[in-house]
């Protein structure tokens, strides 16, 4: 006669869940936790660099003032100038020295469309 071996037990549904699904759920939770922690540690460099490179980006753009109206009679704010009509002269704000001046349209166009931004101007008014 031979050695008697125990008959294999039939596995229950509960044992299947414990042996097959629980390790996978634990593994998924561990990976999700590591990825979540990694995402929380990411530093947004663009927010910090934008603040550092453009300190006066929040300052208001130059605008037509009562002083401009008194200094440049016959000129109007650029928003009031008729669309499509080219002005002979423009009242511009020079960023280089923070002053306003009257400039020929062609000169202002050339200054704003050359290779450097150092001499750019902001148009605040137009003259006929």
């Amino acid at each position: 006669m031979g050695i008697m071996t125990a008959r294999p037990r039939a596995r229950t549904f509960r044992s299947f869940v414990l042996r097959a699904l629980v390790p996978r759920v634990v593994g998924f939770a561990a990976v999700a936790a590591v990825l979540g922690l990694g995402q929380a540690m990411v530093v947004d460099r663009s927010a910090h660099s934008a603040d550092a490179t453009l300190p006066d980006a929040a300052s208001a753009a130059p605008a037509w003032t009562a002083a401009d109206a008194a200094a440049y009679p016959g000129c109007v704010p650029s928003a009031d100038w008729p669309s499509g009509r080219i002005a002979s002269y423009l009242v511009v704000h020079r960023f280089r020295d923070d002053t306003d001046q009257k400039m020929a349209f062609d000169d202002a166009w050339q200054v704003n469309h050359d290779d450097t931004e150092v001499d750019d101007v902001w148009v605040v008014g137009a003259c006929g």
Side-chain angles (χ1 to χ4, degrees):
M1 298 207 189
I3 300 178
M4 274 219 165
T5 58
R7 182 172 174 207
R9 253 179 48 191
R11 290 195 174 148
T12 64
F13 180 71
R14 180 181 167 150
S15 70
F16 170 75
V17 169
L18 290 176
R19 297 182 112 209
L21 295 180
V22 170
R24 287 173 176 81
V25 169
V26 170
F28 175 78
V31 169
V34 168
L35 292 176
L37 181 62
Q39 188 68 23
M41 293 175 60
V42 171
V43 176
D44 185 12
R45 296 186 194 282
S46 64
H48 298 296
S49 64
D51 294 339
T53 57
L54 300 173
D56 46 317
S59 64
W64 184 261
T65 62
D68 292 328
Y72 307 105
C75 300
V76 297
S78 58
D80 294 345
W81 191 257
S83 178
R85 184 173 159 209
I86 297 177
S88 302
Y89 290 93
L90 300 173
V91 178
V92 297
H93 179 82
R94 297 183 71 84
F95 292 105
R96 180 176 23 184
D97 53 6
D98 200 33
T99 60
D100 290 348
Q101 74 179 61
K102 190 173 181 180
M103 180 181 279
F105 178 88
D106 294 335
D107 293 339
W109 177 270
Q110 185 61 37
V111 165
N112 277 353
H113 291 87
D114 60 7
D115 292 337
T116 179
E117 295 179 358
V118 174
D119 58 351
D120 283 359
V121 295
W122 185 282
V123 177
V124 294
C127 311

